[in-house]
Each structure stands twice: as structure tokens, then as C-alpha cells.
Amino acid sequence: MSTLKGKTALVTGSTSGIGLGMAIALAKQGANIMLNGFGEKDVAIAKIKACGVEVDYHGADMSKPVEIEDLIKQTDKRFGSLDILVNNAGIQYTANVEDFPADKWDAIIAINLSSAFHTSHHALPGMKKRNWGRIINIASVHGLVGSTQKAAYIAAKHGIVGLTKVIALENARTGITCNAICPGWVLTPLVQQQVDARAEREHISNDAAKIALLSEKQPSGEFVTTEQLAALAVFLCGADASEVRGVAWNMDGGWTAQ
Ligand code: NAD
């Protein structure tokens, strides 16, 4: 099945974790892929090539608007269009507000929120010309509810849910949709760091730290997988989702049902 054959998808922060999972799933549906991120790009490129589609990589730093503009231009130039934009790049830092370093605040707002404005700003004119587009913002349960020690991350994720609604409304009479996906805990490098920190802080094993993390917030006691999230992204790209507009769709083991 190649439901996205002929389309081009850009997934920001796609050298690991959720972004790489999204890129692989979109490639399996036939979309050509522009990868981005600071991880092991050769491994990511090989995984996409194995899906039998065209792939390229751009190393834009998503905190830098000039580099983001170049990323969109190069995607257009290399593939002839940018049809699916997955705003996924993100970082985390944890501290109480009074201890939160200002530079960490600025970096998280730039990478987790402002980058999605800049990519959309440059991608929308082309999507409008072709009257087709999918913008998928990887928000978080933390775009819907709060937690302690994550001020910048939660402000950015609530912000991206708001941006999602505005882009959806501004394009409601076009073939362009914009939606957010709000994952609970997913065991990626970003969360593994938090597991490691907890194991060290509480003098417990890595497995015990994982159980502690999940049992605090995620009623299912299971991590959400990158494959499950990618399947939702593929659905949002399809014709059946053409009237799904401006939602913040959680997949979180029950986290936000509490
Ligand atoms: P990850 O650390 O595996 O991936 C993050 C990606 O972003 C990597 O490819 C990294 O190189 C890239 N990146 C970081 N800074 C960048 C920058 N300045 N410019 C370009 N790329 C940059 O993390 P992940 O868990 O896969 O996170 C992906 C997204 O999912 C993030 O937006 C995160 O907030 C969100 N999310 C993750 C979870 C979770 O439990 N893992 C839950 C909810 C939401």
C-alpha cells in the first residue's frame, strides 16, 4: 500500500525517537523524506532508503530561523514540493521556576515552539498553491495538562496546541489540515535521560525507575510506542482525516483521563 506516493514529508528532529518512527511510517506509505536532527543521520538515512523512497538530510538547527528557512527551501528544491510537515524536534530541561536557567527557557521555547511557526510560515504558501497539505505538530500530554519542574516545556507544548488551532482555522476551507499529537511517556532518548536521572537520584535500578515514572502518571503502566504514534500520523495524512482539523489528539495510556 502506498497511500502517500508522490508526496514529500519533512520531519524535524527525525534522527531518533518519535521523529524517526514518523519518518519510517510515512516512507512505508511511499512518501519521500527530508530528515533533520542532530543524531546518527547515516543510520536514519539507511532506514528510510530501505523503504524504497527518496531521502535527503538537512542539518538545520531548529532554534535558528535562518537555518529553518533554508531547510524548507532545500526540501522544495530537492523534491519539488513539501506536502507533509511534521514538527517534532524537541528538548527537555527540568528545574523549578526559580532555578530554571534563562538560556534553557529560551532554547526550549525556540526549538519546541517557535520552530513550528517558522516551518509553517515558509511551508504554507506552497501547500496553498497545491491546495493540499498536512501539518502535524508533536505536542505532548504536557500541551494539555501541567506537571512540576517543566515550565518551559509545558509552556511551549501548550503554545503549540494553540498554534495548531490557528493554522487549522486559517486553512479550514482548503485541503490543508493542521493537528497536534499529544503523547504520554514514550521510551525514547529524551525520556531515557529522565529515567537515568531518577535511577541515580533515588538509588534504584533503571527498571525500577521506569516503573516509578509510569506509575506516577500513566494509568496503563505501559509506554506508548513510536509505531503507535506514527500510525496516528499516517491516519492524519490520509483522506479519511480530511475533516480532522485543529485537534490535540492524546495517546497517553489514560494520563489525561484522570
Ligand atoms: P529524541 O531526543 O529521541 O528526539 C529529538 C529529536 O530532535 C532528535 O532527532 C534531536 O537530534 C532533535 N533535535 C534536538 N534539538 C534540535 C535542534 N536544535 N535542531 C534540530 N533537531 C534537534 O526525543 P523524542 O522523545 O523522540 O521527542 C520528539 C518529540 O516528541 C519532542 O517534541 C518531544 O517533546 C515530544 N514528546 C516526547 C514524549 C516522550 O515521552 N518521549 C512525550 C510527549 C512528547
Side-chain angles (χ1 to χ4, degrees):
M1 212 173 56
S2 303
T3 55
L4 299 174
K5 202 168 167 51
K7 306 281 190 209
T8 298
L10 161 63
V11 185
T12 69
S14 45
T15 49
S16 68
I18 295 169
L20 180 55
M22 298 269 160
I24 291 170
L26 295 170
K28 282 184 177 162
Q29 297 298 320
N32 296 323
I33 304 291
M34 178 62 99
L35 294 167
N36 159 261
F38 297 156
E40 291 181 27
K41 71 174 166 103
D42 294 337
V43 176
I45 289 171
K47 286 187 175 169
I48 301 300
K49 271 196 180 145
C51 301
V53 297
E54 295 289 311
V55 57
D56 208 342
Y57 167 85
H58 190 294
D61 179 338
M62 298 309 289
S63 69
K64 304 212 162 85
V66 174
E67 295 186 23
I68 295 173
E69 184 174 2
D70 191 60
L71 166 64
I72 304 296
K73 276 194 183 141
Q74 293 304 324
T75 305
D76 239 350
K77 200 167 153 192
R78 169 70 172 78
F79 297 106
S81 68
L82 168 51
D83 309 293
I84 299 163
L85 168 62
V86 183
N87 288 309
N88 167 79
I91 57 169
Q92 178 62 284
Y93 186 85
T94 56
N96 284 335
V97 170
E98 65 273 28
D99 302 320
F100 214 96
D103 63 330
K104 296 284 184 203
W105 170 275
D106 289 343
I108 290 175
I109 297 299
I111 296 166
N112 296 21
L113 173 59
S114 301
S115 71
F117 161 75
H118 294 295
T119 53
S120 304
H121 174 74
H122 293 297
L124 274 164
M127 290 179 177
K128 281 192 165 162
K129 218 183 289 167
R130 291 181 293 277
N131 196 33
W132 198 92
R134 294 288 186 266
I135 299 178
I136 299 174
N137 293 325
I138 307 306
S140 165
V141 284
H142 283 130
L144 305 170
V145 297
S147 291
T148 58
Q149 299 215 306
K150 295 182 176 173
Y153 186 87
I154 288 168
K157 295 300 186 182
H158 275 69
I160 206 167
V161 168
L163 176 66
T164 300
K165 292 175 183 172
V166 173
I167 294 175
L169 290 173
E170 288 181 358
N171 294 283
R173 288 188 176 260
T174 75
I176 303 163
T177 70
C178 180
N179 293 290
I181 294 178
C182 299
W185 290 123
V186 189
L187 194 55
T188 64
L190 183 137
V191 165
Q192 187 62 52
Q193 277 174 15
Q194 294 174 62
V195 170
D196 293 344
R198 186 162 188 153
E200 200 181 310
R201 196 173 62 240
E202 297 179 9
H203 307 291
I204 55 177
S205 70
N206 219 273
D207 281 349
K210 280 180 197 161
I211 292 167
L213 201 80
L214 284 169
S215 59
E216 242 169 38
K217 300 275 190 183
Q218 202 146 299
S220 68
E222 302 286 341
F223 286 103
V224 179
T225 69
T226 56
E227 290 80 7
Q228 290 169 328
L229 292 164
L232 177 54
V234 167
F235 169 71
L236 290 173
C237 288
D240 288 338
S242 67
E243 289 309 321
V244 182
R245 292 174 186 265
V247 306
W249 195 322
N250 47 310
M251 189 185 281
D252 62 7
W255 183 324
T256 54
Q258 296 169 103

